[in-house]
Amino acid sequence: MSSDSNVLDLSEVIAVTPVEKHGGQRNKDGFSDIELTPISCSRFAVHYVEKKRGRVWRPGRVTFKCQDPTVCREWIDRLQERLNQEYLRPRRLLVFVNPFGGKKRGVQIYQQKVAPLFDLARIKADVIVTERAGHAQDLLQELELNKLDGIVCVGGDGMFSEILNGLIVRTQQEAGVDKDWLAAELVRPHLRIGIIPAGSTDAVSYATVGVNDPVTSALHIIIGDCQPLDVSSVHYRSQLLRYNVSFLGYGFYGDVVRDSDLRRWMGPTRYDYSGFKKFCRRKIYEGEVAFLPCADQGSSPYDQIRCTEGCLVCKQAGEKNKPTPFNPSEEPRAVETFGPGGWQRVRGRFIAINAATNSCACKKTPKGVSPAAHLADGCTDLILIHATPRYRFLGHLLKHLTDSDRFNHSFIEVYRVREFKFRPVIIEETEDEQVEDEEAGVLSRRNRRRNTRRNSVWNCDGEIIDQPAVDVKVHCQLIKLFARGIEETKQSSCWPVGCFCA
Ligand SMILES: CCCCCCCCCCCCC/C=C/[C@@H](O)[C@H](COP(=O)(O)O)NC(=O)CCCCCCCCCCCCCCC
Ligand SMILES: Nc1ncnc2c1ncn2[C@@H]1O[C@H](COP(=O)(O)OP(=O)(O)O)[C@@H](O)[C@H]1O
Ligand SMILES: [Ca+2]
């Protein structure tokens, strides 16, 4: 409801309920405790999304008084009927709660902040509190999903990654698509995923809603928002390792997540501790990155075009990348040529190799690792941080705390790509010769270095991929979230909400 008028957009109404005669007491979450028997009611309440500062949403409520109870009943039924016609609104959800992530408050967050809203909106939720890592991913291979309107993840990026992988693997299996085939055109799951932030970084939630707030995310789910999202597949020698939706980091960020995983008892601060430790260590990793730049030259990580609600860049990418029906006999369109318009190569000694499939905005870096990255453009921003003295690397890191250009350094290269591969260089103790062994997936350069340098791991949305050589490919708008992208805080967006989801 806009503040200077009394117009209420029906698509942002949560529910309509009869109200008890004496106005009733509201509990701390703003709900009236007593549901009145509808026949005798002369009042009804319209619960709606109230937009607060900083993209925070709260349930608002306005009460209407009718002289005649039948008119009141008529209003309730007609409004309820209209809400039921809003086809994007979920009726039945499967909720996975991670009791272990973040500050270990996933269950309380769901019970106290989300469940009352789902009840108010008459959403039936099947809740599963996970008992171990990978539990949600396993259940998604066997549970009955076709009566559901969506899946909700109560946790952080790692938990979301589990559900994302579980759902995509299940969908390919049912569609007969070989998920291990790098060139395969993946089938899009029809179920949307909602995220209730209850983790440590919650980058996916922050980058798609603009804030990490459980009630705000619950309201986006209730009104049936729909936001397509790119997903990157990570393979090694024709075997799928994992799907990634936000951040892939080798070197610094890989070492941070490997070190911090041993300190989960520290909660979210484990990342700052490990970050400081790995910053001081500043390990350098040699390797070669090959990448296929995105075809649309107009779009670049430097172009300052932010991906917001109704983003045109994503809308055009969606038009260009409409899913073609899967045809096993058809050879995929593989681009293997090197040179202009084809693959490019960069070989070097890196502090970090990062890929941001969306901005990766989060509390640590509100504008994101790559502020101009798009949620659904079919590309990922490949950020190569070459070896450099610590003070210069620190200067780059500090820029994440502000809105300034974090890429404006001679030791940083950034490319907007559709695919990339990384091959580490293993340093071994032998004579100096160069051998390229694609079969082993590594370039082995024999040298007189005293010690073989251990490789880093890939930080894949906070989960560890313990395989340095990877082939990454972006699948445009592979999944859909109950979100609408980063809302413009001032003028309304240029496209009606939900325009993306057919
Ligand atoms: C000196 C301050 C430097 C601030 C640097 C901020 C860099 C922020 C980069 C954030 C990357 C975000 C990408 C998101 C990844 C998440 O998917 C993933 C999993 O999320 P989940 O826990 O919810 O499951 N999260 C992460 O991998 C966390 C990465 C966080 C890295 C923190 C790095 C801190 C660096 C501190 C250096 C301090 C140097 C001080 C020297 C005097
Ligand atoms: N019940 C559980 N017990 C232990 N680990 C779990 C459980 N449920 C999920 N996990 C794992 O916890 C990890 C972190 O989950 P996440 O919600 O991302 O928390 P955080 O944001 O703190 O990393 C994920 O790898 C997930 O697989
Ligand atoms: Ca993208």
Side-chain angles (χ1 to χ4, degrees), residues 232-248:
S232 302
S233 58
V234 185
H235 287 76
Y236 171 57
R237 285 195 353 203
S238 64
Q239 198 211 341
L240 173 75
L241 297 179
R242 203 165 176 89
Y243 292 111
N244 166 270
V245 80
S246 222
F247 182 79
L248 258 179

Side-chain angles (χ1 to χ4, degrees), residues 97-104 129-137 153-162 198-202 242 261 264 267-268 270-271 461-463:
V97 183
N98 177 0
F100 174 73
K103 295 183 178 127
K104 298 184 175 32
V129 179
T130 57
E131 290 139 24
R132 56 179 167 76
H135 189 196
Q137 189 159 350
C153 159
V154 183
D157 293 339
M159 186 63 185
F160 174 76
S161 168
E162 241 198 78
S200 305
T201 313
D202 298 321
R242 203 165 176 89
D261 235 27
R264 280 194 169 278
R270 66 186 188 276
Y271 288 130
D461 289 337
E463 300 306 298

Side-chain angles (χ1 to χ4, degrees), residues 229-232 245 307 314 356-359 372-381 416-417 474-477:
L229 199 63
D230 295 337
V231 173
S232 302
V245 80
C307 182
C314 297
T357 307
N358 58 58
S359 66
H374 289 270
L375 290 173
D377 64 341
C379 301
T380 187
D381 287 353
R416 184 154 288 174
V417 306
V474 186
H475 300 266
C476 189
Q477 304 186 9

Side-chain angles (χ1 to χ4, degrees), residues 341-357:
W343 286 76
Q344 294 175 30
R345 271 183 179 156
V346 172
R347 176 134 190 195
R349 302 175 63 249
F350 303 100
I351 290 181
I353 296 172
N354 302 330
T357 307

Side-chain angles (χ1 to χ4, degrees), residues 138-198:
D138 297 342
L139 285 174
L140 280 169
Q141 303 316 311
E142 58 201 53
L143 286 176
E144 179 62 54
L145 300 179
N146 51 24
K147 291 195 183 65
L148 296 172
D149 299 314
I151 299 174
V152 175
C153 159
V154 183
D157 293 339
M159 186 63 185
F160 174 76
S161 168
E162 241 198 78
I163 291 170
L164 173 89
N165 280 271
L167 183 60
I168 297 176
V169 165
R170 168 85 179 259
T171 307
Q172 306 321 308
Q173 205 172 5
E174 289 177 346
V177 173
D178 174 8
K179 64 179 177 5
D180 292 323
W181 185 29
L182 178 64
E185 179 110 16
L186 298 180
V187 171
R188 297 177 176 180
H190 71 277
L191 284 180
R192 280 169 286 171
I193 305 178
I195 308 175
I196 302 293

Side-chain angles (χ1 to χ4, degrees), residues 31 59 77 91 110 113 164 206 212 251 263 273 301 317 328 332 340 345 352 361 371 392-394 400 429 468 479 492:
F31 299 101
D77 293 346
R91 289 272 157 272
Y110 179 75
K113 295 180 178 293
L164 173 89
Y206 198 101
N212 279 348
R263 293 176 178 72
Y273 173 81
R345 271 183 179 156
R392 297 181 72 193
F393 181 45
L394 179 60
H400 285 80
E429 282 194 359
I479 61 160
S492 62

